[in-house]
Coordinates of all heavy atoms in Angstrom, one line a residue:
G1 N 11.5 13.2 -0.6 CA 10.6 12.5 0.3 C 9.1 12.6 -0.1 O 8.3 12.7 0.8
V2 N 8.9 12.4 -1.4 CA 7.5 12.4 -1.8 C 7.1 11.1 -2.4 O 5.9 10.9 -2.7 CB 7.2 13.5 -2.9 CG1 7.5 14.9 -2.3 CG2 8.1 13.3 -4.1
G3 N 8.0 10.1 -2.6 CA 7.7 8.9 -3.2 C 6.6 8.1 -2.5 O 5.7 7.6 -3.1
L4 N 6.7 7.9 -1.2 CA 5.7 7.2 -0.4 C 4.4 7.9 -0.3 O 3.3 7.3 -0.3 CB 6.3 6.8 1.0 CG 7.5 5.8 1.0 CD1 7.9 5.6 2.4 CD2 7.1 4.5 0.3
A5 N 4.5 9.2 -0.2 CA 3.2 10.0 -0.2 C 2.4 9.7 -1.5 O 1.2 9.6 -1.6 CB 3.5 11.5 -0.1
L6 N 3.2 9.7 -2.7 CA 2.6 9.4 -3.9 C 2.0 8.0 -4.0 O 0.9 7.8 -4.5 CB 3.6 9.6 -5.1 CG 3.0 9.3 -6.5 CD1 1.8 10.2 -6.8 CD2 4.2 9.5 -7.5
V7 N 2.7 7.0 -3.4 CA 2.2 5.7 -3.3 C 0.9 5.6 -2.6 O -0.1 5.0 -3.1 CB 3.3 4.8 -2.6 CG1 2.6 3.4 -2.2 CG2 4.5 4.5 -3.5
R8 N 0.8 6.3 -1.5 CA -0.5 6.2 -0.7 C -1.6 6.9 -1.5 O -2.7 6.3 -1.6 CB -0.3 7.0 0.6 CG -1.6 7.0 1.4 CD -1.4 7.6 2.8 NE -1.0 9.0 2.7 CZ -0.7 9.7 3.8 NH1 -0.8 9.2 5.0 NH2 -0.3 11.0 3.7
S9 N -1.3 8.0 -2.2 CA -2.4 8.7 -2.9 C -2.9 7.8 -4.1 O -4.1 7.7 -4.3 CB -1.8 10.0 -3.5 OG -1.5 10.9 -2.4
L10 N -1.9 7.2 -4.8 CA -2.4 6.4 -6.0 C -3.1 5.2 -5.5 O -4.1 4.7 -6.2 CB -1.1 6.1 -6.8 CG -0.5 7.2 -7.6 CD1 0.8 6.8 -8.3 CD2 -1.4 7.9 -8.5
V11 N -2.6 4.5 -4.5 CA -3.3 3.3 -4.0 C -4.7 3.7 -3.5 O -5.7 3.0 -3.8 CB -2.5 2.7 -2.8 CG1 -3.3 1.6 -2.1 CG2 -1.2 2.1 -3.4
Q12 N -4.9 4.8 -2.8 CA -6.2 5.2 -2.4 C -7.1 5.5 -3.6 O -8.3 5.2 -3.5 CB -6.1 6.4 -1.4 CG -5.5 6.1 -0.1 CD -5.3 7.3 0.8 OE1 -5.3 8.4 0.3 NE2 -5.1 7.1 2.1
L13 N -6.6 6.1 -4.6 CA -7.4 6.4 -5.8 C -7.9 5.1 -6.5 O -8.9 5.1 -7.2 CB -6.6 7.2 -6.8 CG -6.4 8.7 -6.4 CD1 -5.4 9.4 -7.4 CD2 -7.7 9.4 -6.4
H14 N -7.2 4.0 -6.2 CA -7.6 2.7 -6.8 C -8.5 2.0 -5.8 O -8.8 0.8 -6.0 CB -6.3 1.9 -7.1 CG -5.6 2.2 -8.3 ND1 -4.7 3.2 -8.5 CD2 -5.8 1.6 -9.6 CE1 -4.3 3.2 -9.7 NE2 -4.9 2.3 -10.4
G15 N -8.9 2.6 -4.7 CA -9.8 2.0 -3.8 C -9.1 1.0 -2.8 O -9.8 0.2 -2.2
G16 N -7.8 1.2 -2.7 CA -7.0 0.3 -1.8 C -6.4 1.1 -0.7 O -6.7 2.2 -0.5
H17 N -5.5 0.4 0.0 CA -4.8 1.1 1.1 C -3.4 0.4 1.2 O -3.2 -0.7 0.7 CB -5.5 1.0 2.4 CG -5.7 -0.4 3.0 ND1 -6.7 -1.2 2.6 CD2 -5.0 -1.1 3.9 CE1 -6.7 -2.3 3.2 NE2 -5.7 -2.3 4.0
V18 N -2.5 1.1 1.8 CA -1.1 0.7 1.9 C -0.6 0.9 3.4 O -1.1 1.9 4.0 CB -0.2 1.4 1.0 CG1 -0.2 2.9 1.2 CG2 1.3 0.9 1.0
E19 N 0.2 0.0 3.9 CA 0.7 0.1 5.2 C 2.2 -0.2 5.2 O 2.7 -1.0 4.4 CB 0.0 -0.7 6.2 CG 0.0 -2.2 5.9 CD -0.7 -3.1 6.9 OE1 -0.5 -2.8 8.1 OE2 -1.4 -4.0 6.5
A20 N 2.9 0.3 6.2 CA 4.3 0.1 6.4 C 4.5 -0.7 7.7 O 3.8 -0.4 8.7 CB 5.1 1.4 6.4
R21 N 5.4 -1.7 7.7 CA 5.8 -2.5 8.8 C 7.3 -2.5 9.0 O 8.0 -2.6 8.0 CB 5.2 -3.9 8.7 CG 3.7 -3.9 8.5 CD 3.3 -5.4 8.2 NE 1.8 -5.5 8.0 CZ 1.2 -6.6 7.5 NH1 1.9 -7.7 7.2 NH2 -0.1 -6.6 7.4
S22 N 7.7 -2.5 10.2 CA 9.1 -2.7 10.5 C 9.3 -3.1 12.0 O 8.5 -2.5 12.9 CB 9.9 -1.5 10.2 OG 11.3 -1.6 10.5
A23 N 10.2 -3.9 12.3 CA 10.5 -4.2 13.7 C 11.4 -3.2 14.4 O 11.7 -3.3 15.5 CB 11.2 -5.6 13.8
G24 N 11.9 -2.2 13.6 CA 12.7 -1.1 14.1 C 14.0 -0.9 13.4 O 14.2 -1.5 12.3
D25 N 14.8 0.0 13.8 CA 16.0 0.3 13.2 C 16.9 -0.9 12.9 O 17.1 -1.7 13.8 CB 16.8 1.3 14.0 CG 16.2 2.7 14.0 OD1 15.5 3.0 13.1 OD2 16.4 3.5 15.0
G26 N 17.3 -1.0 11.7 CA 18.2 -2.2 11.3 C 17.5 -3.5 11.1 O 18.1 -4.5 10.9
Q27 N 16.2 -3.5 11.2 CA 15.4 -4.7 11.1 C 14.7 -4.9 9.8 O 13.8 -5.8 9.7 CB 14.4 -4.8 12.3 CG 15.0 -4.7 13.6 CD 16.0 -5.9 13.9 OE1 15.6 -7.0 13.7 NE2 17.2 -5.6 14.3
G28 N 14.9 -4.1 8.8 CA 14.3 -4.2 7.5 C 12.9 -3.6 7.5 O 12.4 -3.2 8.6
S29 N 12.2 -3.6 6.4 CA 10.9 -3.0 6.3 C 10.0 -3.8 5.3 O 10.5 -4.6 4.5 CB 11.0 -1.6 5.7 OG 11.8 -0.7 6.4
E30 N 8.7 -3.7 5.5 CA 7.8 -4.3 4.6 C 6.7 -3.3 4.3 O 6.1 -2.7 5.2 CB 7.2 -5.6 5.2 CG 6.1 -6.2 4.3 CD 5.5 -7.4 5.0 OE1 5.2 -7.4 6.2 OE2 5.2 -8.4 4.3
F31 N 6.4 -3.1 3.0 CA 5.3 -2.3 2.6 C 4.2 -3.2 1.9 O 4.5 -4.0 1.1 CB 5.7 -1.2 1.6 CG 6.5 -0.1 2.3 CD1 7.9 -0.3 2.5 CD2 5.9 1.0 2.7 CE1 8.6 0.7 3.2 CE2 6.7 2.0 3.4 CZ 8.0 1.8 3.6
V32 N 3.0 -3.0 2.4 CA 1.9 -3.9 1.9 C 0.8 -3.1 1.3 O 0.2 -2.2 1.9 CB 1.3 -4.7 3.1 CG1 0.2 -5.7 2.6 CG2 2.4 -5.4 3.9
V33 N 0.6 -3.4 0.0 CA -0.5 -2.7 -0.8 C -1.7 -3.7 -0.9 O -1.5 -4.8 -1.4 CB 0.0 -2.3 -2.2 CG1 -1.1 -1.7 -3.0 CG2 1.1 -1.3 -2.0
R34 N -2.8 -3.3 -0.6 CA -4.0 -4.1 -0.7 C -5.0 -3.4 -1.7 O -5.4 -2.2 -1.5 CB -4.7 -4.3 0.6 CG -3.8 -5.1 1.6 CD -4.5 -5.3 2.9 NE -3.7 -6.1 3.9 CZ -3.6 -7.4 3.9 NH1 -4.3 -8.1 3.1 NH2 -2.7 -8.0 4.7
L35 N -5.4 -4.1 -2.7 CA -6.3 -3.6 -3.8 C -7.5 -4.5 -3.9 O -7.3 -5.8 -3.8 CB -5.5 -3.5 -5.1 CG -4.3 -2.6 -5.2 CD1 -3.6 -2.8 -6.5 CD2 -4.7 -1.1 -5.0
P36 N -8.7 -4.0 -4.2 CA -9.8 -4.8 -4.4 C -9.6 -5.7 -5.6 O -9.2 -5.3 -6.7 CB -11.0 -3.8 -4.6 CG -10.5 -2.6 -4.1 CD -9.0 -2.5 -4.3
A37 N -9.8 -7.0 -5.4 CA -9.7 -8.0 -6.6 C -10.9 -7.8 -7.5 O -12.0 -7.5 -7.0 CB -9.6 -9.4 -6.0
L38 N -10.6 -8.0 -8.7 CA -11.7 -7.8 -9.7 C -12.1 -9.2 -10.2 O -11.3 -10.0 -10.7 CB -11.2 -7.0 -10.9 CG -12.2 -6.6 -12.0 CD1 -13.3 -5.7 -11.3 CD2 -11.5 -5.8 -13.1
D39 N -13.4 -9.5 -10.0 CA -14.0 -10.8 -10.4 C -15.0 -10.6 -11.5 O -15.8 -9.6 -11.4 CB -14.6 -11.5 -9.2 CG -13.5 -11.9 -8.2 OD1 -12.5 -12.4 -8.6 OD2 -13.8 -11.7 -7.0
D40 N -15.0 -11.5 -12.4 CA -16.1 -11.6 -13.5 C -16.2 -10.4 -14.3 O -17.2 -10.1 -14.9 CB -17.5 -11.8 -12.8 CG -17.5 -13.1 -11.9 OD1 -16.8 -14.1 -12.3 OD2 -18.1 -13.0 -10.9
Q41 N -15.1 -9.6 -14.4 CA -15.1 -8.4 -15.3 C -13.8 -8.3 -16.2 O -13.2 -7.3 -16.2 CB -15.3 -7.1 -14.5 CG -16.6 -7.1 -13.7 CD -16.7 -5.7 -13.1 OE1 -16.7 -4.7 -13.7 NE2 -16.9 -5.8 -11.7

């Protein structure tokens, strides 16, 4: 049960954030990772 904790830690170290979404039991899940886009570099 450490995989998602590691995901959050690594995403935060990259300056981003992650969230989990679900309509409930049996309704599937969605995990959304948002990272700052890099422009002109």
Side-chain angles (χ1 to χ4, degrees):
V2 299
L4 292 180
L6 178 58
V7 165
R8 180 174 62 180
S9 296
L10 291 176
V11 170
Q12 289 176 343
L13 286 173
H14 280 85
H17 63 279
V18 59
E19 62 178 313
R21 301 171 179 173
S22 178
D25 289 334
Q27 300 298 309
S29 304
E30 179 183 39
F31 288 84
V32 183
V33 174
R34 297 181 180 274
L35 299 168
L38 188 62
D39 294 317
D40 303 323
Q41 298 184 56

